[in-house]
Amino acid sequence: MSVPDTSPWWRSAVIYQVYIRSFADGNGDGVGDIAGIRSRLPYLESLGVDAIWINPWYKSPMADHGYDVADYRAIDDLFGSVADAEQLIAEAHRHGIRVIPDIVPNHTSDQHAWFRAALAAGPGSPERERYVFRPGRGPDGTRPPNNWISEFGGPAWTRLPDGDWYLHLFAPEQPDLNWNHPDVHTEFVSLLRFWFARGVDGFRIDVAHGLVKHPELPDVPAEPQQHLGHPHWDRDEVHDIYRAWRKVADEFDGDRCFVAEAWADTPERLAAYVREDALHTAFNFDFLMADWDPEQLRTVIDDSLAILGAVGAPATWVLSNHDVMRHPSRYGRKAAKRWVAGERYEPGGPLDLALGTRRARAAALLTLALPGGAYIYQGEELGLPEVEDLPEDVLQDPMWERSGHTDTGRDGCRVPIPWSGQHPPFGFSPADRTATATPWLPQPADWNGYSVEAQTGDPASMLELYRTALRLRRAHPALGDGTLTWLDTPPGVLALRRDPGFVCVLNLSATPYPLPGHSSVLLASASVEDGVLATDQAVWLEL
């Protein structure tokens, strides 16, 4: 008789990222919403995911598509209501799907009640102490307090008419909170309890590495060593916050969990976020940023498993998200330079999408075979490429304006996904509104072949590859949390064993590779001919 798995669900979960604006439009206004998510829960169940992570749905002026929160206890009218959210959570649970919303603790909207009160109260007031206000430099205070740069381009400071400057590591509409103030701690603990009481199963923490700033706000050195010793990234004091949050999660039944969006320079720095008394998991950006290179992939996998395992945490593997170029478009060309934490990916050369898609299929099998959990970004299971030719007049990412129209931003990976039909909006909006609903970002006219409808039932499609992989992953006793053993292979080939009786082989070499002995092929990223694995192909084997 098999022993039931009693480990927490999040140690091996496959979590599907819902970028709410672009997943499904339930009311026909061209913007995704809670009603749209509810209508697609059967699809998510059939896909085989364990949970959904939903990008911010809170009340917001939408200067950064919801990451500028005006009220954390309200749902924005664009998406629905708190009652709608509660209904979604209950229905998702009936489908066997957990719900993890985003929480944004580094900054609020400039329309948040606290910031409005701070503006009204004036310099030196207690209300301003909840944020990071400072006088300017120079005899008349006209220079910013330091040289910090916004992630969206330009100075990280904005001056008010009264002379004070306030910090915003992102857009000016996103003032940074002062996490040295007790009100900030108290408010966010209350917010966690508010949503845990409504049934959410955890939170994804936005900019988890950015909350604490050096108290003296020194300049960033001319040549900073990435985040190490940085005045506002990945400071050690941030972990005190998350130890307090962990205690709140532990008050509630059902293995509530946190996942950190924490950009760290080394796996050791990342592991500090997921020690036993801190957060549960953290995104593995080293894996996402790795080139299509066997040595680089194996090193990232080994380092992640060793260092996270040493603190008792599982790894979480991710290939794409709403902030980076979709991986079929990354894998289909070389990078212009080595991609490192805190920098944007720079593509180099023309795109070979057929190559990128072939590699993306193989990468999916590698990712889902690794120990720990995995994240799927909506549309990844459809093989969607980056939309790299959006007209300039439709771009909405604040990066576009803040960079002086030199960085097109992240809209290319946020285009609404296709569900059915031959023409835009491809079933994104309700059938009776399709003729009039215009998606908030335009979809390519040739996306009909990528739709859920077109791929369903096609054994060669990306969607059916993911469905089969997720079904096998859930059923096979070797997959999910655990350990791996590397098998001896020639250069360019990765082969990992998971016990009992499972092997994943990935061929990144230019030479076809004869498969090791096995009893059956469980799944392959492309047809395996004569027992030989072609270049850029992966296979799951039963021993």
Side-chain angles (χ1 to χ4, degrees):
M1 186 175 69
S2 63
V3 178
D5 183 6
T6 58
S7 62
W9 66 273
W10 45 265
R11 293 193 65 90
S12 59
V14 175
I15 300 176
Y16 186 95
Q17 180 188 352
V18 171
Y19 190 71
I20 187 169
R21 299 176 68 90
S22 300
F23 182 65
D25 168 22
N27 64 5
D29 65 356
V31 178
D33 47 35
I34 292 174
I37 301 174
R38 288 175 54 207
S39 73
R40 299 300 185 177
L41 286 173
Y43 167 76
L44 293 168
E45 183 179 13
S46 74
L47 183 60
V49 298
D50 299 296
I52 52 174
W53 151 37
I54 304 173
N55 290 93
W57 53 8
Y58 311 107
K59 189 75 173 176
S60 170
M62 300 294 164
D64 186 21
H65 293 162
Y67 282 96
D68 49 319
V69 181
D71 185 349
Y72 293 84
R73 292 179 177 82
I75 299 292
D76 197 88
D77 292 342
L78 195 62
F79 305 134
S81 65
V82 171
D84 293 332
E86 291 174 330
Q87 190 169 6
L88 167 65
I89 294 163
E91 290 180 6
H93 288 169
R94 288 196 289 272
H95 284 274
I97 297 170
R98 291 176 167 88
V99 178
I100 300 173
D102 238 305
I103 194 164
V104 187
N106 180 70
H107 47 262
T108 71
S109 165
D110 61 354
Q111 300 304 307
H112 191 281
W114 278 5
F115 195 73
R116 293 203 309 269
L119 294 184
S125 63
E127 288 83 356
R128 290 200 174 181
E129 293 175 5
R130 293 169 173 154
Y131 293 88
V132 184
F133 283 87
R134 292 291 188 277
R137 291 191 290 190
D140 50 3
T142 57
R143 291 166 48 221
N146 61 32
N147 69 349
W148 295 4
I149 299 297
S150 162
E151 288 295 287
F152 293 160
W157 297 90
T158 289
R159 195 183 194 197
L160 298 171
D162 59 30
D164 257 4
W165 294 76
Y166 71 88
L167 176 68
H168 51 86
L169 291 179
F170 294 87
E173 298 88 350
Q174 295 168 292
D176 278 51
L177 288 162
N178 172 21
W179 274 90
N180 291 319
H181 197 292
D183 285 0
V184 178
H185 289 265
T186 301
E187 172 66 359
F188 273 86
V189 165
S190 174
L191 290 170
L192 295 176
R193 291 194 175 109
F194 177 88
W195 286 105
F196 277 141
R198 279 155 183 79
V200 303
D201 299 281
F203 289 93
R204 177 263 191 185
I205 305 170
D206 183 58
V207 197
H209 59 298
L211 277 56
V212 176
K213 283 74 176 176
H214 191 293
E216 297 175 4
L217 304 182
D219 281 353
V220 175
E223 296 184 7
Q225 190 179 2
Q226 293 300 318
H227 292 173
L228 295 175
H230 199 283
H232 63 71
W233 290 139
D234 190 27
R235 298 190 61 79
D236 290 339
E237 302 91 330
V238 77
H239 304 300
D240 293 335
I241 298 168
Y242 299 133
R243 278 189 281 271
W245 285 22
R246 177 64 177 260
K247 293 176 181 177
V248 176
D250 290 346
E251 295 172 8
F252 292 84
D253 295 332
D255 290 326
R256 313 298 175 100
C257 78
F258 295 109
V259 57
E261 182 211 22
W263 291 85
D265 288 323
T266 65
E268 290 89 348
R269 296 294 300 178
L270 185 66
Y273 289 83
V274 290
R275 294 193 176 104
E276 188 174 349
D277 63 343
L279 303 176
H280 302 80
T281 62
F283 289 131
N284 191 339
F285 291 120
D286 287 338
F287 183 72
L288 182 151
M289 294 188 294
D291 291 336
W292 190 249
D293 175 84
E295 293 184 6
Q296 207 178 122
L297 286 169
R298 178 164 173 171
T299 297
V300 166
I301 292 167
D302 282 343
D303 289 351
S304 300
L305 292 174
I307 294 166
L308 293 170
V311 296
T316 57
W317 312 101
V318 57
L319 294 170
S320 284
N321 63 34
H322 66 292
D323 285 331
V324 301
M325 177 177 284
R326 287 186 177 274
H327 60 274
S329 296
R330 302 197 314 266
Y331 290 155
R333 52 163 65 106
K334 291 186 179 295
K337 64 177 183 177
R338 179 71 184 269
W339 191 12
V340 297
E343 295 185 4
R344 296 267 286 152
Y345 172 81
E346 293 186 25
L351 171 63
D352 182 343
L353 185 55
L355 174 65
T357 300
R358 186 163 66 250
R359 290 175 171 175
R361 292 175 65 91
L365 294 196
L366 172 65
T367 302
L368 295 172
L370 294 173
Y375 281 77
I376 295 171
Y377 178 45
Q378 65 178 43
E380 170 185 330
E381 80 280 14
L382 305 177
L384 295 185
E386 186 84 355
V387 181
E388 300 184 59
D389 58 354
L390 286 169
E392 291 184 357
D393 61 353
V394 306
L395 296 176
Q396 299 190 35
D397 189 337
M399 282 186 177
W400 172 240
E401 292 296 334
R402 292 281 293 172
S403 68
H405 294 181
T406 60
D407 187 337
T408 56
R410 301 158 293 177
D411 288 330
C413 64
R414 300 176 174 184
V415 173
I417 66 174
W419 292 94
S420 61
Q422 297 300 308
H423 308 285
F426 297 117
F428 174 67
S429 296
D432 61 343
R433 309 285 280 278
T434 290
T436 57
T438 301
W440 71 281
L441 284 174
Q443 300 155 306
D446 61 356
W447 264 18
N448 54 303
Y450 286 107
S451 74
V452 172
E453 179 183 63
Q455 295 193 49
T456 295
D458 177 1
S461 70
M462 185 76 84
L463 176 57
E464 294 300 344
L465 178 76
Y466 268 79
R467 280 178 168 154
T468 304
L470 291 174
R471 185 178 69 250
L472 289 170
R473 190 180 189 276
R474 183 171 287 185
H476 202 291
L479 297 178
D481 199 13
T483 60
L484 67 75
T485 303
W486 294 106
L487 305 181
D488 290 334
T489 53
V493 178
L494 298 178
L496 62 94
R497 175 173 178 145
R498 305 286 312 276
D499 290 324
F502 174 93
V503 167
C504 173
V505 186
L506 173 64
N507 185 8
L508 296 96
S509 75
T511 305
Y513 176 67
L515 294 179
H518 58 278
S519 60
S520 64
V521 172
L522 295 172
L523 185 62
S525 63
S527 178
V528 177
E529 304 293 340
D530 300 321
V532 174
L533 197 64
T535 300
D536 295 325
Q537 189 174 354
V539 66
W540 287 1
L541 304 174
E542 184 77 30
L543 299 185

